[in-house]
Amino acid sequence: MNHIRNFCIIAHIDHGKSTLADRLLEYTKTIQVTEGQMLDDMDLERERGITIKSHAIQMEYTYKGEKYILNLIDTPGHVDFSYEVSRSIAACEGALLVVDATQGVQAQTISNLYMAIDHNLEIIPVINKIDMPSAMPDEVEDEIIDLIGCDREDIIRASGKTGEGVEEILNAVVEKIPHPVGDEKAPLQALIFDSVFNSFRGIIAYFKIVNGSIKSGDHVKFFNTGMEYDADEIGVLKMDMIPRKELKTGDVGYIISGIKNSREVKVGDTITHVATPCDKAIEGFQEVKPMVFAGVYPIDPTDYENLRASLEKLQLNDASLTFMPESSVALGFGFRCGFLGLLHMEIIQERLDREFDMDVITTVPNVSYMCYTKQGEVKEVHNPSGLPDQTMIDHIEEPYIRASIITAADYIGPIMTLCLDKRGELLDQQYVSGNRIELHFMLPLGEIVIDFYDKLKSVSKGYASFDYHIDGFRPSKLAKLDILLNGEPVDALSTLTHQDNAVTFGRRMCEKLKELIPRQQFDIAIQAAIGAKIIARETVKQVRKDVTAKCYGGDVSRKRKLLEKQKRGKKRMKQIGNVEVPQKAFLAVLKLD
Ligand code: GDP
Ligand code: MG
């Protein structure tokens, strides 16, 4: 135990966490690189990508003649996965706080840092990318000192590109981070901080032993789910899985126990023995709940079963994805999928397309609402069209977030306007250092899932970082806005919007849909309605749709190409009543300016 160090790297996205982790692995010869190889920008670029799932890797490092085991626990880099970050942090005794020398402290640096401090982690500050010409290490040092109150000498200057500072970082890990503590004789308590799906081995869970020990073959149970398993294989993680007979207090390892369903393994759960169980679970366990929902429909109705199979496969390695069959008058049979957040939704959409070659229509995302009826019932609603009749509703509550935005003073005005426009409430603001300011807002999550990120980026010219945490439900005056095409309500276009904004919002929706719906052989009436009341209307004028006319009957192959193109274009269309509606119309609400 005295020679183990468990640590993680916390950083804002793109500050170089993955790159630096690789340098640590190379330096400790955990992974091999060609002698004297210098990474050029291309190599560095290739490594890019958002670390979505956390992993753990074991290094060996000799310091002052003694051998140490260093377990690096990687954490996901995006706000959607903050619960998983918190469990990874809970498995560590120390953290490298990595800050980009050209960017300084950003929103995620701070939120992850607070999480690490909450868990009493020893913090080792590192300024990365000091090789860059635009690096401002002195200023960034000031920011870090302001933030954590360390000494200037404690801050390590490093580069994931040149490898500078890497040895110093490893030495600091050994010297400064305390070894794990725990009772080796006590009943087993191991914290699950991650799991992955392997098509040959099933679900592999990663854990850190807080107390006790585990042997291969032991009969164990997962405390919160109550499920029992045999530990078919346990071991440690290097570049490969290395099986071990026994793992003890402080060790980080993996367990394979024939689990097929990812939902049985819950991050934050405690592994203990069936025969001699611990009397309580490791604290901090939470069920992660999806907060953002969208309908996913096959364009070709015969793909429905394929879509279900694809979603099931995705769920195998991503337990936070949920889905339920749902049907829409407009779109037919599909699924209502639940995601942790917007990025998570994008990842799933992308994977459906790339890995499963599914052509789907995704509806506008919405959050989950709590609907209180006049009879005193509470109903959780994941789809605006699932709301009870307006006359039955007492009130509706929607999820709120506590958002942190760090930006330069110049952009405070426009950011303030944006957040207030999104029904935000400013909580406080404080200087980070120099002319940079951290703002805190309460905002409805429903406003963030619409087009907040893009707007924030554009009003701040990219100089704003954003992070958030869910902060409970609050009552809101929400109205359901319906869209009708030639008199037929299109359920997939219904949204919940704040009553005060409903009329403007309905008008803009109609205008946008008018742009997005192509002319057809008859007039199309687009209407927005709240209940029975029409609040806006636009018309798409008819056109005679003869695209081949302009070919003058001359060039046959050109004519055929055009027809084919038109056919392919149709694939992303959905027939609603007699109107053909393109996919992008279903996302119209995201495109309102
Ligand atoms: P992460 O999101 O924190 O994991 O960041 P990455 O490790 O993916 O790095 C983000 C970008 O910065 C990538 O394009 C890297 O190639 C680049 N990068 C990382 N570390 C350094 C460094 O020390 N110097 C330079 N010049 N670029 C770096
Ligand atoms: Mg990364």
Side-chain angles (χ1 to χ4, degrees):
M1 220 176 349
N2 297 352
H3 286 69
I4 300 175
R5 300 289 182 274
N6 299 317
F7 71 107
C8 58
I9 305 180
I10 54 185
H12 190 74
I13 197 144
D14 281 346
H15 281 198
K17 184 180 70 170
S18 306
T19 313
L20 209 53
D22 277 353
R23 297 298 87 76
L24 300 180
L25 299 178
E26 284 164 17
Y27 196 88
T28 55
K29 302 206 166 50
T30 314
I31 55 175
Q32 296 298 325
V33 277
T34 332
E35 192 74 37
Q37 178 188 3
M38 271 275 283
L39 289 136
D40 61 18
D41 284 330
M42 276 292 283
D43 292 327
L44 283 174
E45 215 46 56
R46 226 170 285 137
E47 294 166 357
R48 261 205 78 188
I50 305 165
T51 311
I52 293 158
K53 285 303 258 176
S54 51
H55 294 280
I57 191 150
Q58 186 179 93
M59 300 174 258
E60 280 168 27
Y61 185 62
T62 308
Y63 179 69
K64 293 191 174 156
E66 306 240 358
K67 239 195 184 164
Y68 291 86
I69 299 279
L70 313 184
N71 292 307
L72 170 58
I73 294 174
D74 195 11
T75 56
H78 193 276
V79 287
D80 286 358
F81 304 95
S82 64
Y83 172 69
E84 303 194 8
V85 175
S86 84
R87 295 304 82 200
S88 301
I89 283 175
C92 297
E93 283 77 42
L96 301 178
L97 176 73
V98 173
V99 183
D100 186 326
T102 69
Q103 303 287 313
V105 169
Q106 297 293 342
Q108 256 177 277
T109 322
I110 297 189
S111 67
N112 288 341
L113 173 70
Y114 287 163
M115 232 187 260
I117 291 173
D118 276 348
H119 287 87
N120 295 316
L121 264 53
E122 178 68 31
I123 308 291
I124 298 175
V126 176
I127 299 181
N128 188 35
K129 305 197 192 182
I130 54 155
D131 62 283
M132 290 185 62
S134 53
M136 318 170 291
D138 296 332
E139 284 89 335
V140 177
E141 241 174 39
D142 292 339
E143 287 187 6
I144 293 177
I145 292 168
D146 278 353
L147 192 63
I148 59 176
C150 61
D151 291 333
R152 197 166 289 273
E153 306 75 66
D154 292 337
I155 304 174
I156 302 173
R157 295 188 177 194
S159 163
K161 184 174 176 183
T162 64
E164 188 175 344
V166 167
E167 183 182 346
E168 215 184 319
I169 291 173
L170 288 165
N171 293 345
V173 166
V174 173
E175 272 179 19
K176 295 196 174 149
I177 297 179
H179 62 76
V181 288
D183 182 355
E184 222 154 75
K185 303 264 179 304
L188 173 65
Q189 264 184 324
L191 171 68
I192 299 177
F193 60 84
D194 198 6
S195 71
V196 294
F197 169 75
N198 179 301
S199 46
F200 301 106
R201 320 273 337 243
I203 308 288
I204 303 169
Y206 297 164
F207 61 79
K208 182 245 182 124
I209 303 184
V210 176
N211 286 303
S213 61
I214 182 170
K215 287 199 181 68
S216 154
D218 279 355
H219 195 50
V220 295
K221 78 170 177 195
F222 291 4
F223 207 100
N224 290 290
T225 62
M227 304 284 282
E228 298 184 7
Y229 310 96
D230 287 321
D232 299 333
E233 183 179 311
I234 57 167
V236 297
L237 298 141
K238 301 214 175 166
M239 282 316 280
D240 299 308
M241 292 185 285
I242 316 280
R244 289 281 156 82
K245 289 252 171 322
E246 183 175 24
L247 293 172
K248 294 184 171 162
T249 304
D251 282 334
V252 171
Y254 70 89
I255 176 170
I256 297 175
S257 47
I259 303 172
K260 293 277 182 286
N261 185 342
S262 66
R263 312 189 71 168
E264 287 175 34
V265 182
K266 298 201 186 286
V267 167
D269 205 347
T270 303
I271 309 175
T272 191
H273 283 118
V274 172
T276 50
C278 54
D279 50 354
K280 53 178 200 294
I282 297 161
E283 61 184 50
F285 175 74
Q286 261 176 43
E287 293 262 5
V288 278
K289 279 186 74 175
M291 275 294 171
V292 174
F293 294 84
V296 176
Y297 290 84
I299 291 189
D300 178 351
T302 60
D303 267 343
Y304 178 75
E305 283 306 324
N306 281 340
L307 178 57
R308 180 203 297 278
S310 309
L311 287 169
E312 274 167 5
K313 281 212 184 98
L314 283 176
Q315 205 179 46
L316 278 180
N317 52 27
D318 184 352
S320 44
L321 167 71
T322 63
F323 61 92
M324 294 263 285
E326 125 178 314
S327 64
S328 147
V329 182
L331 299 174
F333 290 98
F335 298 93
R336 176 120 304 231
C337 297
F339 311 96
L340 297 178
L342 265 198
L343 177 91
H344 188 210
M345 178 171 113
E346 278 167 29
I347 292 165
I348 299 289
Q349 261 173 309
E350 174 107 13
R351 293 186 64 187
L352 278 174
D353 183 33
R354 275 215 237 150
E355 297 169 34
F356 298 93
D357 200 24
M358 297 292 323
D359 279 326
V360 295
I361 283 195
T362 315
T363 66
V364 176
N366 58 260
V367 297
S368 80
Y369 302 96
M370 291 297 180
C371 179
Y372 292 77
T373 65
K374 290 197 171 128
Q375 279 77 39
E377 281 167 350
V378 195
K379 197 177 163 205
E380 193 174 331
V381 181
H382 294 164
N383 185 346
S385 66
L387 272 184
D389 193 72
Q390 195 76 38
T391 54
M392 312 273 286
I393 298 173
D394 182 65
H395 71 283
I396 299 174
E397 290 186 0
E398 61 176 337
Y400 267 69
I401 58 166
R402 194 185 147 87
S404 150
I405 297 172
I406 296 184
T407 190
D410 306 358
Y411 303 111
I412 290 186
I415 289 177
M416 207 77 103
T417 310
L418 170 67
C419 291
L420 297 181
D421 193 42
K422 295 286 190 186
R423 299 191 279 133
E425 178 195 323
L426 179 70
L427 297 174
D428 57 62
Q429 49 180 316
Q430 63 214 38
Y431 276 92
V432 176
S433 78
N435 76 335
R436 291 195 319 132
I437 291 182
E438 181 177 21
L439 305 164
H440 286 121
F441 286 94
M442 287 297 281
L443 278 158
L445 178 63
E447 297 281 351
I448 302 301
V449 305
I450 301 259
D451 56 356
F452 185 77
Y453 289 100
D454 289 347
K455 288 219 167 113
L456 180 65
K457 213 161 143 187
S458 87
V459 302
S460 67
K461 305 204 164 63
Y463 289 105
S465 60
F466 176 76
D467 194 57
Y468 73 82
H469 295 284
I470 301 285
D471 198 272
F473 282 75
R474 286 192 184 184
S476 281
K477 288 206 159 43
L478 296 169
K480 185 170 150 229
L481 183 86
D482 294 315
I483 298 290
L484 294 82
L485 294 181
N486 279 349
E488 273 205 51
V490 183
D491 55 358
L493 283 171
S494 294
T495 45
L496 279 187
T497 164
H498 195 263
Q499 273 167 15
D500 295 349
N501 306 335
V503 174
T504 343
F505 186 76
R507 213 171 279 149
R508 280 158 67 207
M509 275 289 279
C510 288
E511 284 164 9
K512 196 74 206 176
L513 286 167
K514 184 183 174 185
E515 280 172 36
L516 295 174
I517 296 177
R519 292 174 163 216
Q520 290 164 38
Q521 270 125 321
F522 40 81
D523 282 358
I524 302 165
I526 304 169
Q527 294 169 305
I530 293 176
K533 198 167 137 222
I534 304 290
I535 55 164
R537 176 188 166 117
E538 293 284 337
T539 307
V540 180
K541 283 285 178 201
Q542 73 161 71
V543 71
R544 237 186 75 69
K545 192 175 74 177
D546 188 0
V547 290
T548 58
K550 55 177 169 262
C551 296
Y552 308 113
D555 185 340
V556 178
S557 76
R558 221 176 110 201
K559 199 166 172 177
R560 189 179 310 127
K561 254 190 217 147
L562 251 174
L563 281 171
E564 266 165 24
K565 202 165 145 198
Q566 199 188 19
K567 237 198 309 199
R568 247 180 291 137
K570 255 194 194 147
K571 247 191 124 187
R572 291 254 176 204
M573 297 271 201
K574 208 74 196 182
Q575 190 79 27
I576 300 202
N578 55 357
V579 185
E580 273 189 345
V581 183
Q583 146 90 59
K584 44 184 198 291
F586 292 100
L587 297 173
V589 66
L590 301 179
K591 305 276 186 297
L592 302 179
D593 6 71

